[in-house]
């Protein structure tokens, strides 16, 4: 192609490249700004024929997208942005949860709510807040073990394949955390509502929000703890730590003075205070996000 | 002029703890198949991991066209497919679900996912029954095929395959190599392998890594030609064989006992033709000792490069 022919065709070539974003380098044209700039410069200064030919050859040598990529370009498929992008990430991450996870989590929460209901209907004199106690114990356990399970691929198995996809590890990790937290909180909310309605608003469970906050704080804290330990160390470590903390909490609850600290409204203990728990959870989650962002520095560390 | 699609610029990687995996690796590749070869621990997997964007190098830069990969990792990953060496899917997930999951991660539109999964599965010889099995029940070969299918889901412009033929039967290997050749038309495929016959068969470029350094990056024919004049074969006695095994700068590629204390050998020597090794005393290595020059093959060339590297005679390519 001569320099003159190239100049004549320049507008058409530029239009063609712009209309077919998959051709030069995939959906994003940002990377090809320098190419367009260089070509524009060549046009302005009437470049010599050999420069035009080499540029044309360079463009011709760029990879041709396959049929599927061309089809996506024809359909005008573009990557979702903003809220839709977050939704797409969450949608994709639901696949990593097996049916067993959904079923076991639902069963455990249901059993806990039945236990809470049973405490109230058995006619046993119990302190206020006691009906929330099973959920306060069980929801954080489900949340923390669920988070560790959700992050089981981090650092092994399909992790490298996931990292090589156009999605950030932080996005993946937060998507999975959100799914576990939302599912557990949703189940626990329904269970709390069922207990509260079963007893009746005039019964002893107290205000509905109080029954929710009784488990929400610990759930957030335990989930964030598992989130951090999974990403900082390993999901197995996170599971062990979660179970350890849970055992300590059960032991404290079995000891009546400590139990009163945890469950009596107005005297919230560390795990029972929603504000403290939520604050600590946010802090741990932020630390965990930092760890997730460093995932690409840790791949293959075992080879060292 | 062939456009350099991928440019790797002075790439180095040091693992925490101080192990140097790559040292100033620098090369450019156009379309075609590039085969990374080298001994265990040479840095092949580390190089592919960095190229796949899953490992951040300590130093250096990678460019895809004009795109600086480290600065735009998500845009870059949109273009590539990657099969890791130790690929394993979620064991409890069905193969079809795993492929659909990866397709979502790669940003394929939901309306196209089912058809695309069937398409790439068919391409990799995974039938409907296999797709409906849980990944834990797949054989090693089927798992590799599944990993390859996952890598192909987004119709990648750059395909990175770490030991793709490991675990495949000869028929599957031949099919895969044919597929790689097809995929490389206009695109770039980089694969690592220990099977030099594969490299010879499909490689347009050979990248030879040794102790984290890129010893050379050239066409297979040039790679083989470099060993010309250094490969010998013939019949030797047991004493001569014992000497050859100890001789510096000499590596035996093959030895076949013929009986009566004689052996058929093929060897590579970094010594020039006619240079005396002291065996037999006063006689040159090559001619007149039962050994004659032989035409080098890929394996001979590989051994020759390793010998040269060991003796410090390799240049960077």
């Amino acid at each position: 192609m001569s320099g003159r022919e190239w100049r004549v065709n320049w507008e058409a070539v530029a239009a063609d490249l712009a209309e077919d974003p998959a051709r030069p380098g995939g959906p994003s044209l940002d990377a090809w700004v320098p190419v367009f700039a260089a070509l524009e410069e060549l046009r302005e200064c009437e470049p010599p024929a050999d420069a035009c030919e080499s540029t044309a050859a360079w463009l011709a040598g760029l990879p041709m997208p396959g049929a599927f990529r061309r089809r996506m370009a024809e359909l005008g498929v573009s990557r979702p942005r903003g809220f839709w992008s977050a939704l797409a990430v969450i949608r994709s991450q639901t696949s990593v949860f097996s049916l067993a996870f959904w079923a076991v989590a639902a069963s455990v929460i249901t059993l806990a709510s039945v236990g809470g209901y049973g405490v109230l209907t058995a006619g046993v004199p119990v302190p206020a807040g006691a009906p929330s106690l099973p959920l306060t114990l069980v929801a954080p356990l489900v949340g923390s073990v669920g988070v560790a399970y959700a992050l089981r691929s981090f650092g092994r198995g399909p992790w490298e394949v996931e990292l090589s996809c156009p999605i950030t590890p932080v996005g993946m990790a937060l998507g999975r955390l959100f799914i576990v937290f939302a599912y557990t909180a949703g189940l626990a909310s329904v269970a709390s509502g069922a207990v509260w309605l079963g007893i009746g608003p005039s019964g002893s469970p107290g205000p509905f929000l109080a029954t929710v906050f009784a488990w929400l704080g610990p759930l957030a804290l335990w989930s964030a703890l598992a989130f951090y330990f999974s990403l900082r160390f390993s999901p197995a470590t996170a599971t062990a730590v979660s179970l350890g903390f849970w055992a300590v909490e059960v032991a404290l609850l079995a000891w009546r003075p400590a139990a009163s600290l945890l469950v009596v409204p107005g005297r919230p203990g560390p795990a029972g205070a929603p504000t403290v728990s939520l604050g600590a959870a946010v802090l741990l989650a932020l630390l965990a996000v930092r760890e997730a962002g460093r995932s690409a520095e840790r791949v293959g560390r075992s080879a060292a | 002029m062939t456009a350099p699609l991928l440019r790797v610029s002075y790439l180095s990687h040091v693992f925490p703890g101080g192990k140097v995996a790559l040292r100033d690796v620098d090369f450019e590749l156009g379309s075609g198949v590039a085969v990374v070869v080298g001994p265990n621990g040479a840095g092949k997997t580390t190089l592919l991991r960095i190229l796949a964007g899953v490992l951040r190098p300590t130093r250096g830069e990678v460019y895809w066209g004009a795109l600086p990969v480290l600065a735009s990792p998500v845009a870059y990953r949109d273009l590539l497919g990657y099969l890791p060496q130790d690929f394993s899917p979620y064991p409890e997930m069905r193969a079809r679900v795993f492929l659909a999951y990866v397709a979502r991660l790669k940003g394929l539109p939901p309306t196209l996912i089912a058809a695309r999964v069937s398409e790439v599965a068919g391409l990799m010889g995974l039938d409907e029954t296999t797709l409906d099995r849980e990944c834990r029940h797949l054989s090693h070969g089927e798992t590799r095929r599944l990993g390859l299918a996952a890598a192909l889901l987004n119709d990648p412009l750059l395909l990175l395959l770490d030991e793709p033929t490991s675990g495949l039967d000869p028929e599957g290997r031949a099919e895969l190599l044919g597929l790689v050749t097809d995929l490389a038309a206009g695109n770039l495929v980089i694969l690592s392998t220990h099977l030099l016959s594969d490299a010879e068969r499909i490689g347009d470029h050979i990248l030879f890594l040794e102790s984290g350094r890129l010893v050379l990056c050239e066409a297979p024919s040039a790679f083989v030609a470099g060993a010309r004049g250094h490969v010998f074969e013939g019949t030797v006695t047991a004493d001569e064989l014992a000497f050859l095994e100890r001789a510096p700068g000499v590596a035996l590629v093959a030895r076949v006992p013929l009986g009566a204390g004689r052996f058929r050998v093929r060897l590579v020597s970094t010594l020039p033709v006619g240079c005396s090794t002291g065996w037999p005393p006063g006689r040159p290595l090559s001619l007149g000792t039962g050994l004659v020059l032989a035409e080098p093959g890929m394996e001979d060339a590989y051994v020759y490069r390793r010998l040269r590297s060991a003796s410090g005679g390799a240049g960077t390519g």
Side-chain angles (χ1 to χ4, degrees), chain B residues 283-304:
Chain B
R283 294 170 66 185
L285 174 65
S286 57
L287 305 173
T289 63
L291 291 176
V292 294
L293 272 173
E295 193 59 26
M298 193 62 125
E299 193 179 350
D300 304 316
Y302 176 85
V303 173
Y304 173 67

Side-chain angles (χ1 to χ4, degrees), chain B residues 199-250:
Chain B
E200 187 169 26
R201 184 171 155 191
I202 63 167
D204 297 307
H205 318 274
I206 300 287
L207 281 78
F208 185 88
L209 281 174
E210 172 98 60
S211 303
R213 290 187 189 281
L214 183 67
V215 176
L216 58 85
C217 173
E218 60 190 15
S221 55
F223 182 70
V224 172
R228 193 160 287 140
H230 296 273
V231 182
F232 304 86
E233 62 182 8
T235 305
V236 296
T237 64
D239 289 343
E240 290 167 342
L241 178 64
F243 171 81
L244 288 171
E245 286 173 337
R246 292 193 310 271
V250 174

Side-chain angles (χ1 to χ4, degrees), chain A residues 116 120 126-133 192-214 263-265:
Chain A
L120 270 187
V126 291
S132 305
L133 189 55
S192 293
V195 171
W196 191 75
L197 286 174
I199 302 303
S202 58
S204 57
F208 176 67
L209 277 182
T211 64
V212 168
F213 278 119
V263 298
V264 175

Side-chain angles (χ1 to χ4, degrees), chain A residues 22-28 30-32 34-35 54-55 57-59 61-72 75 77 79 88 91-98 149-150 152-153 156-169 172 176 295-304, chain B residues 1-5 13 15-17 19 31 45-46 49 52-56 64-68 73-75 77-93 97-98 100-102 104-109 111-112 115-116 119 147 150 153-157 185-188:
Chain A
R23 179 182 163 80
S28 169
D30 298 347
W32 297 96
V35 177
S54 64
T55 307
W58 185 78
L59 279 171
L62 290 173
M64 281 296 293
F68 183 74
R69 204 169 266 270
R70 286 201 301 274
R71 194 170 152 213
M72 286 214 295
L75 290 172
V77 174
R79 189 159 286 283
R91 168 74 187 87
S92 70
Q93 295 307 306
T94 54
S95 303
V96 305
F97 296 91
S98 68
Y149 164 79
R152 67 197 182 282
S153 73
R156 64 203 187 95
W159 180 228
E160 281 192 59
V161 170
E162 290 169 330
L163 269 186
S164 72
C165 293
I167 180 173
T168 62
M172 266 193 290
R176 294 181 193 186
S295 303
E297 294 166 18
R298 300 212 300 263
V299 172
R301 193 175 276 186
S302 58
Chain B
M1 180 180 89
T2 305
L5 299 178
H13 189 70
F15 283 108
K19 186 190 173 187
S31 60
T45 293
T46 301
R49 280 174 169 161
V54 303
L55 178 64
R56 202 170 177 83
W64 174 254
L67 180 72
V74 174
R77 288 185 213 134
D78 203 24
L79 310 171
L80 67 85
Y82 172 52
L83 173 68
Q85 185 180 28
D86 48 2
F87 165 75
S88 62
Y90 290 98
E92 75 284 2
M93 216 182 252
V97 176
F98 178 76
Y101 165 60
V102 176
R104 278 190 211 100
L105 287 184
K106 287 176 178 276
L108 268 61
T111 50
L112 298 182
R116 184 60 181 166
E119 191 181 344
L153 277 165
N154 61 334
D155 200 359
L157 304 179
N187 294 334
L188 174 58

